[in-house]
Amino acid sequence: MSARPAPWTVGVLFGFVGMLGFSGTLAATRVAVADFSPLAITCARIVVAGLLGGVTLVLTGRTALPERRHLVAIAVMGLGLAVGYPFFLAVALQSVPAVHGAVVTGLAPAATAIIAVFRAGERPPPVFWLACAIGLAAVLTYAYDAGGGAFSVADGWLLLALLCLGLAYVEGGRVSTELGGTTTLCWAMLFLTPFAAGPLVWSLRGVDLASVAPWSWVSMAYLGVVSMFLAAIFWYRGLAAGGIARIGQINLLLPLAALVWPALFLGETITPTAFICAVIVFAAMMVCLKARVRRRA
């Protein structure tokens, strides 16, 4: 009889699948902002994910409301993941290429790890922080190179997006250990749907839907179904199984995976610096994954 895999190994698998689902977010958002406003994109993602979440809760028989002690964390998770992150991301990608945004998203693991220390009681060892710092240095170097030797205002919007994402990962990861990643995500999206439906209709009032490019519709569908719902389910299950700080480092690969989509579909160029960054970031991620993360009592 074969031994069962360690929980953190399962967490890595789920986290990696979730990361791949997230990797197309920047390219899809870059395409969608050509026809839709950041508000429309943000609200559409919530409504689509909320409808899918409601169906999932009914099919799985988990229609009982979460306990009151979970509501605040679920709300913070939903606001960070479905409101703050996609809105600030869409604003930034109105003025910078998806490749630039993909690079800056490499800061997400650092934000997640730091917030996890204060909110989830996790205590990564020194080697964890050293590897994280090396990975971040590589990402920042690449971001500086990709920006032509300067940072733009869009980088500020991207940083705000990452702070929202890190907080959402930590709060969602904490609740997911008790409710499960799927249930947590479904309730978060379902709670936000009534507040997003009205603004979605309002933001589309001046849009000629008949003239919207087909790829913009495809991008919107991807953002709502895959990026906002399916990938998030895998990601939160990974955080719950493997630990927030450790699994959060898988996102160090996100900017590198996200570079592929703009190159394939948007014709954006990947510079030689990307390859060097890929090697450094991958090595740093492996060290972080193998580090033993302790929890405070």
Side-chain angles (χ1 to χ4, degrees):
M1 184 176 180
S2 59
R4 297 180 61 183
W8 76 267
T9 305
V10 176
V12 169
L13 176 61
F14 281 122
F16 188 76
V17 173
M19 183 275 297
L20 288 179
F22 291 141
S23 66
T25 301
L26 289 110
T29 302
R30 178 67 173 169
V31 172
V33 293
D35 290 300
F36 299 102
S37 68
L39 179 62
I41 294 172
T42 301
C43 293
R45 286 174 56 138
I46 294 173
V47 171
V48 171
L51 293 175
L52 292 174
V55 172
T56 302
L57 289 173
V58 172
L59 293 179
T60 56
R62 299 187 176 182
T63 55
L65 286 172
E67 296 180 23
R68 181 177 299 180
R69 61 191 179 92
H70 292 140
L71 295 181
V72 173
I74 290 176
V76 172
M77 167 194 166
L79 290 173
L81 185 67
V83 180
Y85 174 69
F87 180 78
F88 292 133
L89 183 66
V91 171
L93 292 181
Q94 287 181 316
S95 56
V96 296
V99 166
H100 187 94
V103 171
V104 179
T105 56
L107 295 173
T112 303
I114 292 172
I115 296 173
V117 168
F118 295 99
R119 293 291 297 132
E122 297 190 354
R123 291 178 131 183
V127 67
F128 176 97
W129 292 111
L130 177 61
C132 185
I134 293 173
L136 289 176
V139 168
L140 287 174
T141 300
Y142 182 66
Y144 190 78
D145 178 75
F151 295 101
S152 64
V153 175
D155 290 317
W157 293 115
L158 289 170
L159 289 177
L160 286 175
L162 296 181
L163 288 175
C164 291
L165 190 64
L167 187 59
Y169 283 167
V170 172
E171 294 302 316
R174 292 172 63 234
V175 179
S176 294
T177 58
E178 297 187 47
L179 301 183
T182 301
T183 302
T184 302
L185 177 70
C186 290
W187 279 114
M189 297 301 100
L190 199 57
F191 287 155
L192 289 175
T193 297
F195 300 99
L200 175 60
V201 174
W202 182 84
S203 64
L204 293 176
R205 72 192 190 288
V207 178
D208 183 7
L209 299 180
S211 64
V212 173
W215 277 113
S216 292
W217 287 116
V218 173
S219 297
M220 288 286 273
Y222 175 90
L223 291 171
V225 177
V226 178
S227 177
M228 189 75 263
F229 188 72
L230 296 179
I233 286 177
F234 280 100
W235 180 251
Y236 279 106
R237 292 190 67 177
L239 292 179
I244 297 171
R246 176 192 283 133
I247 302 304
Q249 300 311 302
I250 293 178
N251 257 358
L252 282 171
L253 284 177
L254 182 59
L256 306 170
L259 289 176
V260 176
W261 304 109
L264 289 177
F265 297 105
L266 304 180
E268 297 182 7
T269 303
I270 300 177
T271 65
T273 310
F275 177 76
I276 300 174
C277 183
V279 176
I280 296 175
V281 169
F282 181 76
M285 188 205 70
M286 292 306 297
V287 173
C288 290
L289 288 176
K290 291 182 178 296
R292 289 184 175 273
V293 178
R294 295 182 295 116
R295 294 177 182 270
R296 290 196 301 267

